[in-house]
Amino acid sequence: MDTVFTHVCLWTLLAFALTWTVFYVTNMKKKVKELADAAAEERRDGAADVIIVGAGVGGSALAYALAKDGRRVHVIERDMREPERMMGEFMQPGGRLMLSKLGLQDCLDGIDAQKATGLAVYKDGKEAIASFPVDNNFPYDPSARSFHNGRFVQRLRQKASSLPNVRLEEGTVRSLIEEKGVIKGVAYKNKAGEETTALAPLTVVCDGCYSNLRRSLNDNNAAVLSYQVGYISKNCRLDDPENLHLIMSKPSSTMLYQISSTDVRCGFELFPDNFPSIAKGEMATFAKNNLAPQVPPKLRKIFLKGLDEGEHIKVVPAKCMSATLSKKKGVIVLGDAFNMRHPSVAAGMMVLLSDILILRGLLQPLSNLGDVTKVSEVIKSFYNIRKPMSATVNILGNAFSQSLIASTDVAKEAMRQGCYDYLCSGGFRTSGMMALLGGMNPRPLSLIYHLCAITLHSIGHLLSPFPYPLRIWHSLRLFGLSLKMLVPHLKAEGVSPILFPANAAAYRRSYMATTAL
C-alpha cells in the first residue's frame, strides 16, 4: 500500500512539473509574440532600419556610418558609462586611415591621445628602433595613436548620438528574435528593468569577445592563448613617448607605451601554468622580481612606479577565433564577437574599422534592407572582400606572438632571435614588417614572403659558421616550427583567398578610395 501511495505521489508531482513547464513556456512565447507585435506596430511609425547590439568602438562607428547614409539606427548598449579597458588602446596607422574614411577622425581629438611613430625593441641588452615607413604609397599620415580606450569610446558614442536618426539606448539584450531562420530583432531589458523587444530588417551583433549572442549564430569557439596583465603608471612620461617599447623578456614580451600625457601603460604576457595571484600580491612580486630586472634601466623606474603605488592590476585573456559566417539570415556579427587574433600586434580596432568601411560600402546601394536574399549576398561578399586585411593581421598576430615566447629550445630561440634581427635590421626588412604591422600594406602574400625570409635568416644564423650535423638538425626543426606557425592559420583563413586573392582588387578600391564624408 505504501508503495502504491508513493508511486501516486511521484506521478502527481511529475504531472504537475510537466504541466507547469508547458504553461510557463507557452506564456513566455505568447509574451514575446505580443512584444514583437507591438514592436512591429511601432516600426510602421518609423522605427529602426538597423539594430546594433553593443556601443563600443565597432557599434558606435557603424551606427554613425549607417546613419550618415540615411539609415535609422537603434543601438542597445549594456552600460553607457565610460569603459575601463586595457585593450584597444593603440590604433595603428591603417586604423587611423579607416577612421578618417568613416568621417570619425576627430574622435581622437580632445582625449589626450599620444602620437606613436613605431617600435623600440629590446633584447638581451640590445636596442633598436623600427619606425613606420613614410614612403609606402600610404595615403595618410604614417603614425599611430595611443589613448585611454574609454575616452575614445565615449567620443564615438557622442559622435553617433549627435545624428538625429541614431537612437542610443541603455539595455541588456537577452536573445535574438528568430522566425524561420531569419533574425527579426532582439528581446532586451531596458534601463527601467522592463522586458521589451526591438525589430528591424537587419541586426548587427557587435558586443565584444564575451558575446553570448554569437553562440546562437556561429559554431566557432574562442581559444585562450595566454593572459595579458597590465596596469597604469600615473604621473610620469617616457623619455621616448613616440615609440611603443617592446621588451623581448622571459617568459614572454613586456610592453610600455604612453596612453596620455601623464599615464604609461605597462603590460606583460603570462601563461596559465603557475599563474601568480593578484589578490595575494603574488603578481606584483613576480613583476618586480622576475620582469623588472629585464626591463631596460631607462624604463625600469616607470615600470615599477605603478606596482609600488599599488595600481589596480588587470588580467585579460588573449583569445583567438577564426571568422565564420552565420547560417542565420538578417544578421551580421562584427568585431571580437566575429573574429579575434592574438593582441600582440594591437590591430583589433583596425580590422574592425576596415570591416565597417567595407560593409557600409556594400550596404549603400540597398534601398531595402528587408530583402533577405540581397542582404545575404552582401554578407557573403563582405566575408570575402575583408580577407586581405583580416587574413594579414590574423596570421601576423598569431605568428608574431609565438616568436616572442622565450624558450630553452635551440630552434625556438633561434627563431626568436631571427625575428629580432630581421625586424631591427633596417632597410626593406624593417620597413616591410612595419608596414604589415601598421596595416599600411594589407597583403597576405607580402606577409608570407617576410615570414619565409625570417625563417631563412634564422636558419642561416643557426648554420653559421659551419653546418655541423646538430645544427642541421636544429635547422630542420626550426623549419618545421615555422610551418606549424603558418599552415594552421593559412587553413583557417582559406588558402585560396590568400594565395589567389580574387577580391584583392575590390579591397584595394575600398582601402585607397578618398574619404566620402
Side-chain angles (χ1 to χ4, degrees):
M1 190 71 179
D2 291 339
T3 304
V4 173
F5 179 75
T6 302
H7 285 172
V8 170
C9 290
L10 288 173
W11 280 108
T12 302
L13 287 172
L14 180 61
F16 174 78
L18 289 172
T19 303
W20 184 87
T21 302
V22 171
F23 176 77
Y24 177 79
V25 170
T26 303
N27 272 2
M28 285 300 294
K29 287 183 176 178
K30 183 178 179 183
K31 185 175 181 181
V32 169
K33 187 177 185 304
E34 289 173 352
L35 290 170
D37 290 342
E41 185 65 33
E42 183 184 349
R43 272 202 50 73
R44 296 190 192 103
D45 298 328
D49 299 306
V50 182
I51 293 169
I52 299 176
V53 182
V57 172
S60 301
L62 180 64
Y64 179 83
L66 294 181
K68 291 294 286 186
D69 290 340
R71 312 285 189 190
R72 295 164 297 180
V73 185
H74 182 186
V75 186
I76 305 171
E77 164 59 37
R78 182 180 58 83
D79 189 348
M80 288 295 184
R81 292 174 297 181
E82 183 176 310
E84 293 184 8
R85 297 185 61 200
M86 73 170 190
M87 306 296 278
E89 294 177 329
F90 195 87
M91 183 171 288
Q92 301 283 6
R96 291 185 59 232
L97 172 63
M98 303 303 168
L99 199 70
S100 174
K101 289 179 182 297
L102 292 168
L104 293 166
Q105 65 272 22
D106 59 337
C107 290
L108 288 172
D109 299 334
I111 62 171
D112 200 15
Q114 303 294 297
K115 181 179 180 179
T117 57
L119 286 175
V121 190
Y122 307 85
K123 186 178 187 296
D124 300 331
K126 297 180 181 179
E127 174 186 351
I129 302 296
S131 300
F132 296 118
V134 295
D135 55 351
N136 191 58
N137 296 319
F138 184 64
Y140 204 67
D141 171 39
S143 62
R145 293 292 184 274
S146 54
F147 43 78
H148 282 274
N149 173 269
R151 297 176 186 177
F152 180 53
V153 168
Q154 291 300 83
R155 286 284 289 118
L156 287 171
R157 289 173 178 174
Q158 292 166 11
K159 185 87 170 181
S161 61
S162 68
L163 300 178
N165 48 337
V166 173
R167 178 188 174 195
L168 200 58
E169 180 183 9
E170 187 169 300
T172 303
V173 174
R174 302 291 196 186
S175 61
L176 299 168
I177 298 173
E178 182 181 346
E179 184 179 310
K180 297 179 180 179
V182 179
I183 302 300
K184 299 291 186 179
V186 299
Y188 68 103
K189 180 182 285 189
N190 62 22
K191 191 175 182 179
E194 303 165 333
E195 296 286 349
T196 184
T197 63
L199 299 185
L202 181 63
T203 300
V204 181
V205 174
C206 199
D207 55 348
C209 64
Y210 299 107
S211 172
N212 291 318
L213 299 180
R214 75 160 175 256
R215 295 190 182 94
S216 62
L217 298 171
N218 298 326
D219 55 3
N220 55 342
N221 295 313
V224 177
L225 304 174
S226 61
Y227 292 90
Q228 301 294 309
V229 184
Y231 56 91
I232 295 175
S233 288
K234 298 181 178 179
N235 301 315
C236 54
R237 191 163 181 82
L238 296 165
D239 291 339
D240 183 9
E242 290 198 358
N243 278 314
L244 187 153
H245 297 263
L246 171 65
I247 301 118
M248 298 181 75
S249 54
K250 298 175 182 180
S252 190
S253 59
T254 302
M255 284 189 179
L256 289 87
Y257 53 96
Q258 202 82 38
I259 58 172
S260 75
S261 56
T262 59
D263 294 340
V264 174
R265 167 65 68 191
C266 303
F268 49 92
E269 181 177 32
L270 288 180
F271 303 95
D273 311 341
N274 301 318
F275 198 81
S277 168
I278 296 176
K280 295 179 181 179
E282 295 171 357
M283 185 68 77
T285 301
F286 171 83
K288 290 179 182 179
N289 296 341
N290 294 70
L291 297 177
Q294 301 180 66
V295 175
K298 67 177 183 178
L299 303 174
R300 194 174 299 155
K301 184 178 179 180
I302 292 177
F303 182 80
L304 290 170
K305 188 173 188 294
L307 296 171
D308 291 336
E309 293 177 355
E311 293 296 336
H312 179 57
I313 298 176
K314 293 185 177 181
V315 178
V316 178
K319 297 183 178 183
C320 176
M321 184 178 72
S322 58
T324 57
L325 278 176
S326 173
K327 297 177 182 178
K328 307 289 175 65
K329 297 182 178 180
V331 64
I332 299 172
V333 187
L334 288 179
D336 285 345
F338 175 54
N339 186 201
M340 287 182 275
R341 79 290 307 155
H342 195 282
S344 59
V345 292
M349 288 189 294
M350 178 173 66
V351 174
L352 175 54
L353 293 171
S354 173
D355 285 351
I356 290 171
L357 189 67
I358 294 167
L359 183 61
R360 181 263 189 101
L362 292 171
L363 290 175
Q364 276 178 333
L366 299 185
S367 58
N368 178 20
L369 296 181
D371 189 330
V372 175
T373 302
K374 288 187 177 179
V375 171
S376 296
E377 291 173 356
V378 161
I379 295 172
K380 289 179 182 177
S381 297
F382 158 74
Y383 181 77
N384 291 321
I385 293 172
R386 72 186 292 270
K387 280 293 181 181
M389 172 65 83
S390 64
T392 300
V393 171
N394 290 344
I395 295 172
L396 178 60
N398 294 316
F400 189 57
S401 66
Q402 288 294 306
S403 66
L404 293 176
I405 301 173
S407 176
T408 55
D409 184 289
V410 174
K412 289 182 179 179
E413 190 56 32
M415 175 65 82
R416 187 166 175 258
Q417 183 65 47
C419 182
Y420 172 83
D421 292 340
Y422 192 90
L423 181 61
C424 303
S425 59
F428 171 75
R429 293 175 174 182
T430 299
S431 62
M433 282 301 297
M434 290 304 295
L436 288 165
L437 282 166
M440 303 163 71
N441 179 26
R443 290 188 177 95
L445 287 176
S446 295
L447 171 61
I448 292 172
Y449 166 81
H450 283 286
L451 291 179
C452 290
I454 291 172
T455 301
L456 293 175
H457 176 84
S458 303
I459 289 174
H461 179 74
L462 261 181
L463 293 176
S464 64
F466 186 81
Y468 294 112
L470 184 59
R471 290 178 177 175
I472 293 174
W473 167 243
H474 287 314
S475 298
L476 291 173
R477 290 184 56 249
L478 190 152
F479 183 74
L481 288 170
S482 67
L483 288 179
K484 285 182 67 175
M485 288 168 56
L486 181 60
V487 172
H489 301 301
L490 280 177
K491 289 175 66 177
E493 297 297 331
V495 175
S496 180
I498 292 174
L499 299 182
F500 309 101
N503 290 288
Y507 180 80
R508 295 300 292 179
R509 284 196 295 271
S510 68
Y511 183 80
M512 299 298 291
T514 55
T515 305
L517 299 177

